[in-house]
Amino acid sequence: MKQLIVVVALSVASLASVPAFAKADCKAYPKAEWMPQADAKAKIEAQGYSISKFKVDGNCYEIYGRNKAGKKVEIYYDAKTLEPVKSEIEK
């Protein structure tokens, strides 16, 4: 039982040290006004990003991928205008 408690405590402690990337606060639009996902992907890739994952997160489009310099990125975009709302780039 003590071993289980130690394992759980270590697991929780290791998760506490992982930085969390808070969700972006994108403006809510009716889905009919959102840029089509295929168009959004094409525009993002035309800016020099390679996309490994593209998803809808709340009212945002979110990508995981790499920028022109090859650094990992996580970027939230406004689903209607495709303006970046929040981003994180690997150091």
Side-chain angles (χ1 to χ4, degrees):
M1 183 66 173
K2 286 184 180 182
Q3 290 176 341
L4 177 61
I5 293 171
V6 170
V7 170
V8 171
L10 289 174
S11 297
V12 171
S14 68
L15 290 175
S17 65
V18 176
F21 189 54
K23 284 188 169 191
D25 186 22
C26 293
K27 185 174 178 181
Y29 300 102
K31 296 264 184 189
E33 294 181 16
W34 287 25
M35 181 179 295
Q37 289 186 24
D39 294 349
K41 289 178 190 178
K43 286 187 176 200
I44 293 167
E45 288 172 337
Q47 295 172 3
Y49 293 98
S50 64
I51 300 171
S52 58
K53 185 174 183 179
F54 181 98
K55 67 179 194 170
V56 173
D57 188 353
N59 295 311
C60 303
Y61 285 143
E62 179 184 13
I63 68 147
Y64 295 88
R66 295 192 178 269
N67 63 13
K68 291 178 187 177
K71 302 249 184 204
K72 288 183 182 180
V73 297
E74 178 180 359
I75 307 172
Y76 289 85
Y77 291 94
D78 180 291
K80 180 178 178 179
T81 66
L82 209 62
E83 290 296 317
V85 175
K86 189 169 189 174
S87 65
E88 185 171 278
I89 300 173
E90 173 185 66
K91 293 181 182 178

Coordinates of all heavy atoms in Angstrom, one line a residue:
M1 N 0.8 -1.2 0.0 CA 0.0 0.0 0.0 C 0.9 1.3 0.0 O 0.6 2.2 -0.7 CB -0.9 0.0 1.2 CG -1.9 1.1 1.3 SD -3.1 1.0 0.0 CE -4.1 2.3 0.4
K2 N 1.9 1.2 0.8 CA 2.8 2.4 0.8 C 3.5 2.6 -0.5 O 3.7 3.8 -0.9 CB 3.9 2.2 1.9 CG 3.4 2.4 3.3 CD 4.5 2.3 4.3 CE 4.0 2.5 5.7 NZ 5.0 2.5 6.7
Q3 N 3.8 1.6 -1.2 CA 4.4 1.7 -2.5 C 3.4 2.4 -3.5 O 3.8 3.2 -4.3 CB 4.8 0.3 -3.1 CG 6.0 -0.3 -2.3 CD 6.3 -1.7 -2.8 OE1 5.5 -2.3 -3.5 NE2 7.5 -2.1 -2.5
L4 N 2.2 2.0 -3.4 CA 1.2 2.6 -4.3 C 1.1 4.1 -4.0 O 1.0 4.9 -4.9 CB -0.2 2.0 -4.1 CG -1.3 2.5 -4.9 CD1 -1.1 2.4 -6.4 CD2 -2.6 1.9 -4.5
I5 N 1.1 4.5 -2.8 CA 1.0 5.9 -2.4 C 2.2 6.7 -2.9 O 2.1 7.8 -3.4 CB 0.9 6.1 -0.8 CG1 -0.5 5.5 -0.4 CG2 1.0 7.5 -0.4 CD1 -0.7 5.4 1.1
V6 N 3.4 6.1 -2.8 CA 4.6 6.7 -3.3 C 4.5 6.9 -4.8 O 4.8 8.0 -5.4 CB 5.9 5.9 -2.9 CG1 7.1 6.4 -3.6 CG2 6.0 6.0 -1.4
V7 N 4.1 5.9 -5.5 CA 4.0 5.9 -7.0 C 3.0 7.0 -7.4 O 3.2 7.8 -8.3 CB 3.5 4.6 -7.6 CG1 3.2 4.7 -9.1 CG2 4.6 3.6 -7.4
V8 N 1.8 7.1 -6.7 CA 0.8 8.1 -7.0 C 1.4 9.5 -6.8 O 1.2 10.4 -7.6 CB -0.5 7.9 -6.3 CG1 -1.4 9.0 -6.4 CG2 -1.1 6.6 -6.8
A9 N 2.0 9.7 -5.6 CA 2.6 11.0 -5.3 C 3.6 11.4 -6.3 O 3.7 12.6 -6.7 CB 3.2 10.9 -3.9
L10 N 4.5 10.5 -6.7 CA 5.5 10.9 -7.7 C 4.9 11.2 -9.1 O 5.3 12.1 -9.8 CB 6.5 9.7 -7.9 CG 7.5 9.5 -6.7 CD1 8.3 8.2 -6.9 CD2 8.4 10.7 -6.5
S11 N 3.8 10.5 -9.4 CA 3.1 10.8 -10.7 C 2.5 12.2 -10.7 O 2.7 12.9 -11.6 CB 2.0 9.7 -10.9 OG 2.6 8.5 -11.1
V12 N 1.9 12.5 -9.6 CA 1.3 13.8 -9.4 C 2.3 14.9 -9.5 O 2.2 15.9 -10.1 CB 0.4 13.9 -8.2 CG1 0.0 15.3 -7.9 CG2 -0.8 13.0 -8.3
A13 N 3.4 14.7 -8.8 CA 4.5 15.7 -8.7 C 5.1 15.9 -10.1 O 5.5 17.0 -10.5 CB 5.6 15.2 -7.7
S14 N 5.3 14.8 -10.9 CA 5.8 15.0 -12.2 C 4.9 15.7 -13.2 O 5.3 16.5 -14.0 CB 6.2 13.6 -12.9 OG 5.0 12.9 -13.1
L15 N 3.6 15.6 -13.0 CA 2.6 16.3 -13.8 C 2.6 17.8 -13.4 O 2.4 18.6 -14.3 CB 1.2 15.8 -13.6 CG 1.0 14.4 -14.2 CD1 -0.4 13.9 -13.9 CD2 1.2 14.4 -15.8
A16 N 2.9 18.1 -12.2 CA 2.9 19.5 -11.8 C 4.0 20.3 -12.4 O 3.9 21.5 -12.6 CB 3.0 19.6 -10.3
S17 N 5.1 19.6 -12.9 CA 6.2 20.4 -13.5 C 6.0 20.6 -15.0 O 6.8 21.3 -15.6 CB 7.5 19.6 -13.2 OG 7.5 18.3 -13.8
V18 N 5.0 20.0 -15.6 CA 4.8 20.1 -17.0 C 4.1 21.4 -17.2 O 3.0 21.7 -16.6 CB 3.9 19.0 -17.5 CG1 3.6 19.2 -19.0 CG2 4.6 17.6 -17.3
P19 N 4.6 22.3 -18.1 CA 3.9 23.6 -18.3 C 2.6 23.4 -19.1 O 2.5 22.6 -20.0 CB 4.9 24.4 -19.2 CG 5.8 23.4 -19.8 CD 5.8 22.2 -18.8
A20 N 1.6 24.1 -18.7 CA 0.3 24.0 -19.3 C 0.1 25.2 -20.2 O 0.4 26.3 -19.9 CB -0.8 23.9 -18.3
F21 N -0.4 24.9 -21.4 CA -0.7 26.0 -22.3 C -2.2 26.2 -22.3 O -3.0 25.4 -22.7 CB -0.3 25.5 -23.7 CG -0.3 26.6 -24.8 CD1 0.3 27.8 -24.6 CD2 -1.0 26.4 -26.0 CE1 0.3 28.8 -25.5 CE2 -1.1 27.4 -26.9 CZ -0.4 28.6 -26.7
A22 N -2.6 27.3 -21.7 CA -4.0 27.6 -21.5 C -4.7 27.8 -22.8 O -4.1 28.3 -23.8 CB -4.1 28.8 -20.6
K23 N -6.0 27.5 -22.8 CA -6.7 27.6 -24.1 C -6.8 29.1 -24.4 O -6.7 30.0 -23.6 CB -8.2 27.1 -23.8 CG -8.3 25.7 -23.9 CD -9.8 25.3 -23.8 CE -9.9 23.8 -24.1 NZ -11.3 23.5 -24.4
A24 N -7.0 29.3 -25.7 CA -7.2 30.7 -26.2 C -8.6 31.1 -26.1 O -9.5 30.3 -26.1 CB -6.7 30.8 -27.7
D25 N -8.8 32.4 -26.1 CA -10.2 32.9 -26.0 C -10.6 33.5 -27.3 O -10.4 34.7 -27.6 CB -10.2 34.0 -24.9 CG -11.6 34.5 -24.6 OD1 -12.6 33.8 -24.9 OD2 -11.7 35.6 -24.1
C26 N -11.1 32.6 -28.2 CA -11.5 33.1 -29.5 C -13.0 33.6 -29.5 O -13.8 33.0 -28.8 CB -11.4 31.9 -30.5 SG -9.7 31.4 -30.8
K27 N -13.3 34.5 -30.3 CA -14.6 35.1 -30.4 C -15.5 34.0 -31.0 O -15.1 33.3 -31.9 CB -14.6 36.3 -31.3 CG -16.0 37.0 -31.4 CD -15.9 38.3 -32.2 CE -17.2 38.9 -32.3 NZ -17.2 40.1 -33.1
A28 N -16.7 33.9 -30.5 CA -17.7 32.9 -31.0 C -18.5 33.5 -32.2 O -19.0 34.6 -32.2 CB -18.7 32.6 -29.9
Y29 N -18.5 32.7 -33.3 CA -19.2 33.0 -34.5 C -20.1 31.8 -34.8 O -19.7 30.7 -34.5 CB -18.3 33.2 -35.7 CG -17.3 34.3 -35.6 CD1 -16.0 34.1 -35.3 CD2 -17.7 35.7 -35.8 CE1 -15.0 35.1 -35.2 CE2 -16.8 36.7 -35.7 CZ -15.4 36.4 -35.4 OH -14.5 37.4 -35.3
P30 N -21.2 32.0 -35.5 CA -21.9 30.8 -36.0 C -21.0 30.0 -36.9 O -20.2 30.6 -37.7 CB -23.1 31.5 -36.8 CG -23.2 32.9 -36.3 CD -21.8 33.3 -35.9
K31 N -21.1 28.7 -36.9 CA -20.3 27.8 -37.7 C -20.3 28.1 -39.1 O -19.3 28.0 -39.9 CB -20.6 26.4 -37.4 CG -20.4 25.9 -36.0 CD -19.1 25.2 -35.8 CE -19.0 24.7 -34.4 NZ -17.7 24.2 -34.1
A32 N -21.5 28.6 -39.6 CA -21.6 29.0 -41.0 C -20.7 30.1 -41.4 O -20.3 30.2 -42.6 CB -23.0 29.4 -41.3
E33 N -20.2 30.9 -40.5 CA -19.3 32.0 -40.8 C -17.8 31.6 -40.7 O -16.9 32.4 -41.1 CB -19.6 33.2 -39.8 CG -20.9 33.8 -40.0 CD -21.2 35.0 -39.1 OE1 -20.2 35.5 -38.5 OE2 -22.3 35.4 -39.0
W34 N -17.5 30.4 -40.2 CA -16.2 30.0 -40.0 C -15.5 29.7 -41.4 O -16.2 29.3 -42.4 CB -16.1 28.7 -39.3 CG -16.3 28.8 -37.8 CD1 -17.1 29.8 -37.2 CD2 -15.9 27.9 -36.8 NE1 -17.1 29.5 -35.8 CE2 -16.4 28.4 -35.5 CE3 -15.2 26.7 -36.8 CZ2 -16.1 27.7 -34.3 CZ3 -14.9 26.1 -35.6 CH2 -15.4 26.6 -34.4
M35 N -14.2 30.0 -41.5 CA -13.5 29.7 -42.7 C -13.5 28.2 -42.9 O -13.3 27.5 -41.9 CB -12.1 30.2 -42.6 CG -11.2 29.9 -43.9 SD -9.6 30.6 -43.8 CE -9.9 32.3 -43.8
P36 N -13.7 27.6 -44.0 CA -13.7 26.2 -44.2 C -12.3 25.6 -43.8 O -11.3 26.3 -44.0 CB -13.9 25.9 -45.7 CG -14.7 27.2 -46.1 CD -14.2 28.3 -45.3
Q37 N -12.3 24.5 -43.1 CA -11.0 23.9 -42.6 C -10.0 23.7 -43.7 O -8.8 24.0 -43.5 CB -11.3 22.6 -41.9 CG -12.0 22.8 -40.6 CD -12.1 21.5 -39.8 OE1 -11.4 20.6 -39.9 NE2 -13.1 21.5 -38.9
A38 N -10.4 23.3 -44.9 CA -9.4 23.1 -46.0 C -8.8 24.4 -46.4 O -7.6 24.5 -46.6 CB -10.1 22.4 -47.2
D39 N -9.6 25.5 -46.4 CA -9.0 26.8 -46.8 C -8.1 27.3 -45.7 O -7.0 27.9 -46.0 CB -10.2 27.8 -47.0 CG -11.0 27.5 -48.2 OD1 -10.7 26.6 -49.0 OD2 -12.1 28.1 -48.3
A40 N -8.5 27.1 -44.4 CA -7.6 27.5 -43.3 C -6.3 26.8 -43.3 O -5.2 27.4 -43.2 CB -8.3 27.2 -42.0
K41 N -6.3 25.5 -43.5 CA -5.1 24.7 -43.6 C -4.2 25.2 -44.8 O -3.0 25.4 -44.6 CB -5.4 23.2 -43.8 CG -5.9 22.5 -42.6 CD -6.2 21.1 -43.0 CE -7.0 20.4 -41.9 NZ -7.4 19.0 -42.3
A42 N -4.8 25.4 -45.9 CA -4.0 25.9 -47.1 C -3.4 27.3 -46.8 O -2.2 27.5 -47.1 CB -4.9 26.0 -48.3
K43 N -4.1 28.2 -46.2 CA -3.6 29.5 -45.9 C -2.4 29.4 -44.8 O -1.4 30.1 -44.9 CB -4.7 30.5 -45.4 CG -5.6 30.9 -46.5 CD -6.5 32.0 -46.0 CE -7.4 32.5 -47.2 NZ -8.0 33.7 -47.0
I44 N -2.6 28.6 -43.8 CA -1.6 28.4 -42.8 C -0.3 27.8 -43.4 O 0.8 28.3 -43.2 CB -2.1 27.6 -41.6 CG1 -3.2 28.3 -40.9 CG2 -1.0 27.2 -40.7 CD1 -4.0 27.5 -39.9
E45 N -0.5 26.8 -44.3 CA 0.7 26.2 -44.9 C 1.4 27.2 -45.9 O 2.6 27.2 -46.0 CB 0.3 24.9 -45.6 CG 0.0 23.8 -44.6 CD -0.6 22.6 -45.3 OE1 -1.2 22.6 -46.4 OE2 -0.5 21.5 -44.6
A46 N 0.6 28.1 -46.5 CA 1.1 29.1 -47.4 C 2.0 30.1 -46.7 O 2.9 30.7 -47.3 CB 0.0 29.8 -48.2
Q47 N 1.8 30.2 -45.4 CA 2.6 31.1 -44.5 C 3.9 30.4 -44.1 O 4.7 31.0 -43.4 CB 1.8 31.5 -43.3 CG 0.6 32.4 -43.6 CD -0.3 32.6 -42.3 OE1 0.1 32.2 -41.2 NE2 -1.4 33.3 -42.6
G48 N 4.1 29.2 -44.5 CA 5.4 28.5 -44.2 C 5.3 27.5 -43.1 O 6.3 26.9 -42.7
Y49 N 4.1 27.2 -42.5 CA 4.0 26.2 -41.5 C 3.7 24.9 -42.0 O 3.0 24.7 -43.0 CB 2.8 26.6 -40.5 CG 3.0 27.9 -39.8 CD1 2.5 29.1 -40.2 CD2 3.8 27.9 -38.6 CE1 2.7 30.2 -39.5 CE2 4.0 29.0 -37.9 CZ 3.5 30.2 -38.3 OH 3.7 31.4 -37.6
S50 N 4.3 23.9 -41.4 CA 3.9 22.5 -41.7 C 3.0 22.0 -40.6 O 3.3 22.3 -39.4 CB 5.1 21.6 -41.9 OG 5.8 21.4 -40.6
I51 N 1.8 21.5 -40.9 CA 0.8 21.1 -39.9 C 0.9 19.6 -39.6 O 0.7 18.8 -40.6 CB -0.6 21.5 -40.4 CG1 -0.6 23.0 -40.6 CG2 -1.6 21.1 -39.4 CD1 -1.9 23.5 -41.3
S52 N 1.1 19.2 -38.4 CA 1.0 17.8 -38.0 C -0.3 17.5 -37.4 O -0.8 16.3 -37.5 CB 2.2 17.4 -37.1 OG 2.1 18.2 -35.9
K53 N -1.0 18.5 -36.8 CA -2.3 18.2 -36.3 C -3.1 19.5 -36.4 O -2.6 20.6 -36.1 CB -2.2 17.8 -34.8 CG -3.6 17.4 -34.2 CD -3.4 16.9 -32.8 CE -4.7 16.4 -32.2 NZ -4.5 15.9 -30.9
F54 N -4.3 19.4 -36.9 CA -5.3 20.5 -37.1 C -6.6 20.1 -36.4 O -7.1 19.0 -36.7 CB -5.5 20.8 -38.5 CG -6.4 22.0 -38.8 CD1 -5.9 23.2 -39.1 CD2 -7.8 21.8 -38.8 CE1 -6.7 24.3 -39.4 CE2 -8.6 22.9 -39.1 CZ -8.1 24.1 -39.4
K55 N -7.1 21.0 -35.5 CA -8.3 20.6 -34.8 C -9.1 21.8 -34.4 O -8.6 23.0 -34.4 CB -8.0 19.7 -33.6 CG -7.3 20.4 -32.5 CD -7.1 19.5 -31.3 CE -6.7 20.2 -30.0 NZ -6.8 19.4 -28.9
V56 N -10.4 21.6 -34.1 CA -11.2 22.6 -33.6 C -11.1 22.5 -32.0 O -11.3 21.5 -31.5 CB -12.7 22.4 -34.0 CG1 -13.6 23.4 -33.3 CG2 -12.8 22.6 -35.5
D57 N -10.8 23.7 -31.4 CA -10.8 23.7 -29.9 C -11.7 24.9 -29.5 O -11.3 26.0 -29.6 CB -9.3 23.9 -29.5 CG -9.2 23.8 -28.0 OD1 -10.2 23.7 -27.3 OD2 -8.1 23.8 -27.5
G58 N -12.9 24.5 -29.0 CA -13.8 25.6 -28.7 C -14.2 26.3 -29.9 O -14.8 25.8 -30.8
N59 N -14.0 27.7 -29.9 CA -14.3 28.5 -31.0 C -13.1 28.8 -31.9 O -13.1 29.7 -32.7 CB -14.9 29.8 -30.5 CG -16.2 29.6 -29.8 OD1 -17.1 29.0 -30.4 ND2 -16.4 30.2 -28.7
C60 N -12.0 28.1 -31.7 CA -10.7 28.3 -32.4 C -10.4 27.1 -33.3 O -10.8 26.0 -33.0 CB -9.6 28.4 -31.4 SG -9.7 29.7 -30.2
Y61 N -9.6 27.4 -34.3 CA -8.8 26.4 -35.0 C -7.5 26.3 -34.3 O -6.9 27.4 -33.9 CB -8.6 26.7 -36.4 CG -9.8 26.6 -37.3 CD1 -10.0 27.4 -38.4 CD2 -10.7 25.5 -37.2 CE1 -11.1 27.3 -39.2 CE2 -11.8 25.3 -38.0 CZ -12.0 26.2 -39.0 OH -13.1 26.1 -39.8
E62 N -7.0 25.1 -34.0 CA -5.7 25.0 -33.4 C -4.8 24.1 -34.2 O -5.3 23.1 -34.7 CB -5.9 24.3 -32.0 CG -4.6 24.1 -31.2 CD -4.8 23.4 -29.9 OE1 -5.9 22.9 -29.6 OE2 -3.9 23.4 -29.1
I63 N -3.5 24.5 -34.3 CA -2.6 23.6 -35.1 C -1.4 23.3 -34.2 O -1.0 24.1 -33.3 CB -2.1 24.3 -36.4 CG1 -1.2 25.5 -36.1 CG2 -3.2 24.6 -37.3 CD1 -0.1 25.7 -37.1
Y64 N -0.9 22.1 -34.5 CA 0.4 21.7 -33.9 C 1.3 21.5 -35.2 O 0.8 20.8 -36.1 CB 0.3 20.5 -33.1 CG -0.5 20.6 -31.9 CD1 -1.8 20.4 -31.9 CD2 0.1 20.9 -30.7 CE1 -2.6 20.5 -30.7 CE2 -0.6 21.0 -29.5 CZ -2.0 20.8 -29.5 OH -2.7 20.9 -28.4
G65 N 2.5 22.0 -35.2 CA 3.3 21.8 -36.4 C 4.7 22.4 -36.2 O 5.2 22.5 -35.1
R66 N 5.2 22.9 -37.3 CA 6.5 23.5 -37.3 C 6.5 24.8 -38.2 O 5.8 24.8 -39.2 CB 7.6 22.6 -37.8 CG 7.8 21.3 -36.9 CD 9.0 20.5 -37.3 NE 9.1 19.4 -36.4 CZ 9.8 19.5 -35.2 NH1 10.5 20.6 -34.9 NH2 9.9 18.4 -34.5
N67 N 7.3 25.8 -37.7 CA 7.4 27.0 -38.5 C 8.5 26.9 -39.6 O 9.1 25.8 -39.7 CB 7.6 28.2 -37.6 CG 8.9 28.2 -36.8 OD1 9.8 27.4 -37.1 ND2 9.0 29.0 -35.8
K68 N 8.7 28.0 -40.3 CA 9.8 27.9 -41.4 C 11.1 27.5 -40.8 O 11.9 26.9 -41.6 CB 9.9 29.3 -42.0 CG 8.7 29.7 -42.8 CD 8.9 31.1 -43.4 CE 7.6 31.6 -44.1 NZ 7.8 33.0 -44.5
A69 N 11.4 27.9 -39.6 CA 12.7 27.6 -39.0 C 12.8 26.2 -38.4 O 13.8 25.8 -37.9 CB 13.0 28.6 -37.9
G70 N 11.7 25.4 -38.5 CA 11.7 24.0 -38.1 C 11.4 23.9 -36.6 O 11.4 22.8 -36.0
K71 N 11.0 25.0 -35.9 CA 10.7 24.9 -34.5 C 9.2 24.5 -34.3 O 8.3 24.8 -35.1 CB 10.8 26.3 -33.9 CG 12.2 26.9 -34.0 CD 12.9 26.9 -32.7 CE 14.2 27.6 -32.9 NZ 15.1 27.2 -31.9
K72 N 9.0 23.7 -33.3 CA 7.6 23.3 -33.0 C 6.8 24.5 -32.6 O 7.2 25.3 -31.9 CB 7.6 22.3 -31.9 CG 8.2 20.9 -32.2 CD 8.1 20.0 -31.1 CE 8.7 18.6 -31.4 NZ 8.6 17.7 -30.3
V73 N 5.5 24.5 -33.1 CA 4.6 25.5 -32.7 C 3.2 25.0 -32.3 O 2.9 23.9 -32.8 CB 4.4 26.5 -33.9 CG1 5.6 27.3 -34.3 CG2 3.8 25.8 -35.1
E74 N 2.5 25.7 -31.5 CA 1.1 25.5 -31.2 C 0.4 26.8 -31.4 O 0.8 27.8 -30.7 CB 1.0 24.9 -29.8 CG -0.5 24.7 -29.4 CD -0.6 24.2 -28.0 OE1 0.4 24.0 -27.3 OE2 -1.8 24.0 -27.6
I75 N -0.5 26.9 -32.3 CA -1.1 28.2 -32.6 C -2.6 28.0 -32.6 O -3.2 27.1 -33.2 CB -0.6 28.8 -33.9 CG1 0.9 28.8 -34.0 CG2 -1.2 30.2 -34.1 CD1 1.4 29.2 -35.3
Y76 N -3.3 29.0 -31.9 CA -4.8 29.1 -32.0 C -5.1 30.2 -32.9 O -4.5 31.3 -32.9 CB -5.3 29.4 -30.6 CG -5.2 28.3 -29.6 CD1 -4.1 28.1 -28.9 CD2 -6.3 27.4 -29.4 CE1 -4.0 27.1 -27.9 CE2 -6.3 26.4 -28.4 CZ -5.1 26.2 -27.7 OH -5.0 25.2 -26.8
Y77 N -6.1 29.9 -33.8 CA -6.5 30.9 -34.8 C -8.0 31.2 -34.6 O -8.8 30.3 -34.3 CB -6.3 30.4 -36.2 CG -4.9 30.2 -36.7 CD1 -4.2 29.0 -36.5 CD2 -4.2 31.3 -37.2 CE1 -2.9 28.9 -36.9 CE2 -2.9 31.2 -37.7 CZ -2.3 30.0 -37.5 OH -1.0 29.9 -37.9
D78 N -8.4 32.4 -34.9 CA -9.8 32.8 -35.0 C -10.4 32.0 -36.2 O -9.8 32.1 -37.3 CB -9.9 34.3 -35.2 CG -11.3 34.8 -35.3 OD1 -12.0 34.5 -36.3 OD2 -11.8 35.5 -34.4
A79 N -11.5 31.3 -35.9 CA -12.0 30.4 -37.0 C -12.7 31.2 -38.1 O -12.8 30.6 -39.2 CB -13.0 29.5 -36.3
K80 N -13.0 32.4 -38.0 CA -13.6 33.2 -39.0 C -12.5 34.0 -39.8 O -12.5 33.9 -41.0 CB -14.6 34.2 -38.5 CG -15.3 35.0 -39.5 CD -16.4 35.9 -38.9 CE -17.0 36.8 -40.0 NZ -18.1 37.6 -39.4
T81 N -11.7 34.7 -39.1 CA -10.7 35.6 -39.8 C -9.3 34.9 -40.0 O -8.5 35.5 -40.7 CB -10.5 36.8 -38.9 OG1 -9.9 36.5 -37.7 CG2 -11.8 37.5 -38.7
L82 N -9.1 33.9 -39.3 CA -7.8 33.2 -39.3 C -6.7 34.0 -38.7 O -5.5 33.8 -39.0 CB -7.4 32.6 -40.7 CG -6.6 31.3 -40.6 CD1 -7.3 30.2 -39.9 CD2 -6.1 30.9 -42.0
E83 N -7.0 35.0 -37.9 CA -6.0 35.8 -37.2 C -5.5 34.9 -36.1 O -6.2 34.3 -35.3 CB -6.6 37.1 -36.7 CG -6.9 38.1 -37.7 CD -5.7 38.6 -38.5 OE1 -4.7 38.9 -37.9 OE2 -5.8 38.7 -39.7
P84 N -4.1 34.9 -35.8 CA -3.6 34.2 -34.7 C -4.1 34.8 -33.4 O -4.1 36.0 -33.2 CB -2.1 34.3 -34.8 CG -1.8 34.8 -36.2 CD -3.1 35.5 -36.7
V85 N -4.6 34.0 -32.5 CA -5.1 34.5 -31.2 C -4.1 34.2 -30.1 O -3.9 35.0 -29.2 CB -6.4 33.8 -30.9 CG1 -6.9 34.2 -29.5 CG2 -7.5 34.1 -31.9
K86 N -3.4 33.1 -30.2 CA -2.4 32.7 -29.1 C -1.4 31.7 -29.8 O -1.8 30.9 -30.6 CB -3.1 32.1 -28.0 CG -2.3 31.8 -26.8 CD -3.1 31.5 -25.6 CE -2.2 31.5 -24.3 NZ -3.0 31.2 -23.1
S87 N -0.2 31.9 -29.4 CA 0.8 30.9 -30.0 C 1.9 30.6 -29.0 O 2.2 31.4 -28.1 CB 1.4 31.5 -31.3 OG 2.1 32.7 -31.0
E88 N 2.5 29.5 -29.2 CA 3.7 29.1 -28.4 C 4.7 28.5 -29.4 O 4.3 27.6 -30.2 CB 3.3 28.1 -27.3 CG 4.4 27.7 -26.4 CD 3.9 26.9 -25.2 OE1 3.4 27.5 -24.3 OE2 4.1 25.7 -25.3
I89 N 5.9 28.9 -29.3 CA 7.0 28.4 -30.2 C 8.1 27.8 -29.3 O 8.5 28.4 -28.3 CB 7.5 29.5 -31.0 CG1 6.4 30.2 -31.9 CG2 8.7 29.1 -31.9 CD1 6.8 31.4 -32.7
E90 N 8.6 26.7 -29.8 CA 9.7 26.0 -29.1 C 10.9 26.9 -29.0 O 11.2 27.6 -30.0 CB 10.0 24.7 -29.9 CG 11.2 24.0 -29.4 CD 11.5 22.8 -30.4 OE1 11.9 23.1 -31.5 OE2 11.5 21.7 -29.9
K91 N 11.5 26.9 -27.9 CA 12.7 27.7 -27.8 C 14.0 27.1 -28.3 O 14.1 25.9 -28.4 CB 12.9 28.1 -26.3 CG 11.8 29.0 -25.8 CD 12.0 29.4 -24.4 CE 10.9 30.3 -24.0 NZ 10.9 30.7 -22.6

